[in-house]
Amino acid sequence: MSMNNGSDGPPVVPPAGGRESGEQPPDASVPWNAAVAPPYPPTAPPDLTRPVPPSATAMTIGIGVTATLVLYAVGAVASRSYNAAFFAFPFFVGFIVSILSPKHPFRNTGLSVFVGLVILVALLREGVACVLFALPLLVGEMFIGALCALPVRRYIDTRRKKIATVTTMMMIAIAWQTISGHLDDPTQHPIHRVSSETVIAAPPERVFDVLTGGASAKGPWPLVIRLGLPIPQRLVIEEPGPAGSLRMEFNHGSAHARVTDWRRGQAFAFEVDHYEIDDPPFFITRLGRAEHFGLKTERVDDWLTLREIRYTFLHDGEGRTVLRRSTVFQRHLSPDFYFGWLEQTILQLGQDRLLEQIRDQVNPNGDEETMPVAGLNPP
């Protein structure tokens, strides 16, 4: 039996999938490709129990922080002082991080060194003042290291080459620190002298008596000294005389010294024997950290060694005193081009302010007239 549409034409065959087959026609509102595309299996939910591997940038910064801490530790063990090889570790860290960084090498270098320094401060290995004073040098070296690595980055394009480069740079830095520490002799470090003077309206004998009679310093002090350096507070003569002893009190400790010159109204000098420092947290001063105040060659943790502090009292012929103070110290920080002027400048600022305070104690009212000498010119 055939089916037709009521005419004499050929029979009409219903299309596959028509209503006669029980299937619904495609929805005209759905695009053709979506209507005819085969269904995809549902996507499985992510497995949150599996650790997510770190990115290449995170791995690079982690390697940079590790290199910072390793080179610092090697320098602290192998070096006898804070020499140039010790402070060169940011250069090698910058080179390594720049080689490994897929992008932003300078940013990654800065983050690596910054995180390493924060860890050292948190572990009380370095102080805030130490980091702040050395920061310009460290920043300059790490960016120079990253810059030096840029021309060779395109040649180090495989994992094996990168591992070899990092290993080579670490070995060079460790070898330099070890050899430099072995050859270093702290007794031959540079010696500096800081000199200051002020004019006081009083005879030399009176100025001498005020200075050796418990002179105190109350500030204000320059900002660079208030960042965390020891601030002088009082000079205490424990035993007067040419073979006497004294104590210099600081804001968080004291220095014990022996008198080397005692001539009333002419000269007063002493040399520091040892320190008793009680540093506040995160403010390591490095004074007296070495065995025997930095005079031993086994290890020097100090910034400097005070050799002599000398006061001279000169009469200017008009009843006034020209008070001069000279400080001789041995610097244990390198390189010279940076720490030479830095230590000299800091001590100069502190010494100038100290003489101003001594002058104000002799003449608390700023009197420019000659004041009587205690014990010699009674009122």
Side-chain angles (χ1 to χ4, degrees):
M1 179 178 178
S2 63
M3 297 181 62
N4 55 44
N5 56 1
S7 64
D8 296 335
V12 177
V13 180
R19 293 181 181 179
E20 287 77 0
S21 64
E23 298 182 8
Q24 297 295 329
D27 189 355
S29 63
V30 180
W32 179 84
N33 57 349
V36 301
Y40 289 97
T43 304
D47 186 1
L48 300 180
T49 61
R50 298 179 60 184
V52 179
S55 63
T57 299
M59 286 289 295
T60 299
I61 295 176
I63 294 174
V65 173
T66 302
T68 299
L69 299 178
V70 169
L71 294 181
Y72 178 92
V74 172
V77 173
S79 302
R80 297 178 180 176
S81 64
Y82 288 91
N83 53 31
F86 178 87
F87 280 105
F89 75 85
F91 172 85
F92 294 94
V93 174
F95 193 97
I96 291 172
V97 173
S98 182
I99 288 293
L100 299 179
S101 295
K103 56 182 179 179
H104 307 303
F106 295 101
R107 184 198 66 181
N108 296 341
T109 298
L111 288 174
S112 300
V113 176
F114 174 77
V115 173
L117 293 176
V118 170
I119 293 175
L120 293 175
V121 172
L123 296 177
L124 302 181
R125 278 300 310 166
E126 289 295 335
V128 175
C130 309
V131 173
L132 291 177
F133 286 131
L135 195 59
L137 177 66
L138 302 181
V139 171
E141 287 189 353
M142 69 183 182
F143 283 119
I144 290 176
L147 185 64
C148 291
L150 293 181
V152 299
R153 286 181 59 181
R154 60 178 178 175
Y155 301 106
I156 306 175
D157 52 358
T158 63
R159 180 183 179 89
R160 178 176 296 180
K161 291 180 180 179
K162 291 180 179 180
I163 294 176
T165 302
V166 172
T167 303
T168 301
M169 295 302 293
M170 290 292 292
M171 295 303 297
I172 292 175
I174 292 174
W176 185 16
Q177 290 178 334
T178 304
I179 295 173
S180 179
H182 178 73
L183 299 177
D184 186 23
D185 184 3
T187 62
Q188 302 300 317
H189 288 175
I191 295 178
H192 296 254
R193 179 186 297 271
V194 178
S195 299
S196 304
E197 71 175 41
T198 187
V199 178
I200 304 176
E205 291 80 5
R206 174 170 174 75
V207 178
F208 184 94
D209 292 342
V210 171
L211 178 61
T212 59
S216 60
K218 300 180 180 180
W221 295 91
L223 176 61
V224 68
I225 296 179
R226 300 200 308 269
L227 290 176
L229 298 179
I231 298 178
Q233 293 183 332
R234 188 182 178 195
L235 179 66
V236 180
I237 303 297
E238 297 178 336
E239 183 179 348
S245 60
L246 58 90
R247 182 178 73 254
M248 291 189 297
E249 296 181 352
F250 298 92
N251 57 334
H252 43 80
S254 59
H256 298 267
R258 54 186 176 85
V259 177
T260 57
D261 196 353
W262 181 287
R263 288 174 289 163
R264 186 171 182 265
Q266 299 182 42
F268 171 53
F270 55 89
E271 295 181 358
V272 175
D273 287 329
H274 65 279
Y275 283 92
E276 293 179 359
I277 299 295
D278 185 17
D279 287 322
F282 312 116
F283 284 90
I284 311 301
T285 61
R286 293 295 176 196
L287 286 177
R289 296 292 167 186
E291 191 178 7
H292 197 271
F293 186 52
L295 299 179
K296 297 276 187 176
T297 58
E298 290 85 356
R299 176 74 184 155
V300 174
D301 277 336
D302 306 315
W303 293 340
L304 55 87
T305 298
L306 287 175
R307 304 298 294 270
E308 183 186 61
I309 298 176
R310 174 173 292 272
Y311 292 89
T312 56
F313 308 81
L314 303 176
H315 202 292
D316 69 347
E318 299 180 1
R320 299 181 302 181
T321 300
V322 178
L323 177 62
R324 294 176 179 171
R325 186 183 195 265
S326 64
T327 301
V328 180
F329 68 95
Q330 196 166 20
R331 174 173 51 84
H332 300 309
L333 297 180
S334 294
D336 298 343
F337 75 88
Y338 181 79
F339 288 107
W341 70 267
L342 181 63
E343 291 195 32
Q344 186 89 15
T345 301
I346 292 175
L347 265 68
Q348 186 74 59
L349 291 173
Q351 185 166 270
D352 292 345
R353 180 59 186 143
L354 182 62
L355 289 187
E356 292 176 2
Q357 298 191 47
I358 295 175
R359 180 194 62 198
D360 295 340
Q361 289 184 55
V362 177
N363 292 332
N365 299 322
D367 188 4
E368 292 297 333
E369 297 181 0
T370 302
M371 302 183 66
V373 179
L376 296 180
N377 298 325

